[in-house]
Amino acid sequence: MPSFDAVLEPDLIQVRNAVDQTAKEVANRFDFKGSSAKIELADKTITAWADSDFQLGQLRDVLLAKMAKREVDPRFLEHGKPQPAGGDKFKQVFTVRSGIPQDLAKRITGAIKESRMKVQASIQGDTVRVTGGKRDDLQAAIALLKKHIDDTPLSFQNFRD
């Protein structure tokens, strides 16, 4: 039977490149000279440090601009709250979302069931597999998911006939 997988996977190489470019720009920008502003990527967590809350906002804006330039959707980032990090420093943690959480998977399967299309959706770990009898039905399901699930950057893989 034809099927495809709905997944939530960022291009981690491009995320790393965006963080590296952000670090370079922060090191060279005039408004960051003499400050201890920096940004690091560890596993799937981006941590930003700055001297003030305003600089932290500037650092976040630079990061989002670099990610957009590298065609990484900014919705992959979960923004943590800016927190004091000792002294006059501030810290903010961004988590790179990967894998469909359970509540989103239930929303996806619910949207497909409500549409009364001739396809079935099943949750398989951190992906949602959609199967159907015809290729046209699957393409209609992809269009439906793009329309209804607009708060996360879903991608569709393993399209099989």
Side-chain angles (χ1 to χ4, degrees):
M1 285 185 70
S3 67
F4 69 87
D5 293 338
V7 296
L8 184 64
E9 286 184 10
D11 187 356
L12 293 176
I13 294 169
Q14 296 297 347
V15 171
R16 174 170 296 286
N17 289 339
V19 170
D20 291 343
Q21 285 184 343
T22 302
K24 283 181 185 178
E25 184 168 330
V26 166
N28 293 330
R29 271 182 51 168
F30 180 76
D31 55 342
F32 285 109
K33 290 287 182 194
S35 72
S36 62
K38 66 179 180 176
I39 189 164
E40 292 178 353
L41 174 68
D43 196 25
K44 292 184 180 178
T45 304
I46 301 170
T47 308
W49 290 276
D51 292 338
S52 67
D53 195 28
F54 176 75
Q55 275 190 345
L56 199 57
Q58 294 291 315
L59 194 60
R60 180 180 55 245
D61 291 344
V62 171
L63 174 66
L64 292 177
K66 296 297 180 184
M67 288 184 73
K69 197 174 206 180
R70 295 224 158 247
E71 298 178 0
V72 176
D73 197 323
R75 295 178 292 176
F76 279 118
L77 293 182
E78 287 182 11
H79 300 265
K81 286 190 168 192
Q83 317 165 10
D88 295 337
K89 310 274 186 260
F90 285 87
K91 168 179 132 175
Q92 186 171 10
V93 177
F94 304 96
T95 306
V96 180
R97 294 172 31 181
S98 180
I100 296 180
Q102 200 68 22
D103 59 333
L104 179 61
K106 288 179 182 178
R107 274 183 36 209
I108 291 171
T109 56
I112 289 176
K113 285 180 183 177
E114 285 178 11
S115 71
R116 306 235 184 250
M117 300 175 77
K118 295 181 181 177
V119 295
Q120 295 82 33
S122 62
I123 301 170
Q124 296 185 346
D126 57 354
T127 64
V128 176
R129 175 150 298 157
V130 179
T131 58
K134 296 181 188 172
R135 184 179 202 167
D136 293 339
D137 294 338
L138 293 180
Q139 290 173 343
I142 289 174
L144 174 86
L145 290 178
K146 284 182 178 179
K147 180 180 175 187
H148 281 84
I149 312 294
D150 59 351
D151 58 343
T152 56
L154 285 178
S155 57
F156 306 101
Q157 298 178 344
N158 294 337
F159 198 93
R160 298 175 192 215
D161 274 333

